[in-house]
Amino acid sequence: MSLLDKLNQDMKQAMKNRDKETLGVIRMIKASIQNESIKLGKDTLSEDEDLAILSREVKQRKDSLQEFKSAGRDDLVEKIETELSIVKRYMPEQLTEEELVRIVQETIQEVNATSKKDMGKVMSAIMSKVKGRADGSQIKDVVLQQLK
């Protein structure tokens, strides 16, 4: 089932349940997908493109969450945390810390990285492997630990 099909199905369910928060988030995701498909001139997006959109939505909400927390806006923090949990439902299962460390170590060996100077090579190779299953900052931290 494609992401758009799943969103449409969940949107209908949210309407039946009168779940305004879920409905609003699903509509935002669908709008992002539609905007991206218009921008790319495609009728349907690939799974990777859908994943990139979802990752962008998660990142936007995490950034907003940080801003609202630092500003002391607890009312908005709660709202964004709810939105974030709804968007994460559509993301692939996240890697555990152990899985991520293993992938990082394998990738470091593959690209023959020896120091922090090689971080760019390692990061680009890893990002193509994990595609949305791990947060970029989390990956960066693990890579830095491994490239001492």
Side-chain angles (χ1 to χ4, degrees), residues 1 3 8-9 18 21-22 54-55 74 94 116 118 124 133 137 142 148:
M1 177 183 292
L3 176 62
N8 285 329
Q9 183 179 1
R18 300 191 191 289
E21 290 174 334
T22 302
L54 287 174
S55 296
D74 296 333
Q94 298 296 295
K116 291 182 181 179
D118 300 320
S124 62
R133 297 182 333 192
S137 60
V142 174
K148 293 179 182 174

Side-chain angles (χ1 to χ4, degrees), residues 1 3 8 31 34 39 42 47 52 63 69 72 83-84 97 112 127 130 142:
M1 177 183 292
L3 176 62
N8 285 329
Q34 188 173 15
K39 184 175 125 185
K42 295 180 175 181
E47 201 172 306
D63 291 346
K69 280 182 179 178
E83 286 183 11
L84 190 57
E97 185 77 24
N112 296 321
M127 293 309 277
V130 298
V142 174

Side-chain angles (χ1 to χ4, degrees), residues 27-91:
R27 284 181 172 154
M28 280 190 265
I29 295 170
K30 284 185 66 173
S32 294
I33 290 171
Q34 188 173 15
N35 288 340
E36 190 73 15
S37 67
I38 290 169
K39 184 175 125 185
L40 297 174
K42 295 180 175 181
D43 288 336
T44 57
L45 297 177
S46 70
E47 201 172 306
D48 288 343
E49 292 164 334
D50 285 341
L51 190 57
I53 292 167
L54 287 174
S55 296
R56 189 169 49 231
E57 292 290 325
V58 167
K59 183 174 178 1
Q60 286 173 352
R61 282 168 178 79
K62 282 183 177 179
D63 291 346
S64 297
L65 194 59
Q66 290 296 83
E67 291 294 319
F68 292 146
K69 280 182 179 178
S70 65
R73 295 291 312 265
D74 296 333
D75 55 327
L76 294 174
V77 166
E78 197 174 303
K79 180 181 184 288
I80 294 296
E81 284 175 341
T82 303
E83 286 183 11
L84 190 57
S85 70
I86 294 168
V87 174
K88 283 185 175 181
R89 290 182 204 164
Y90 301 100
M91 293 289 290

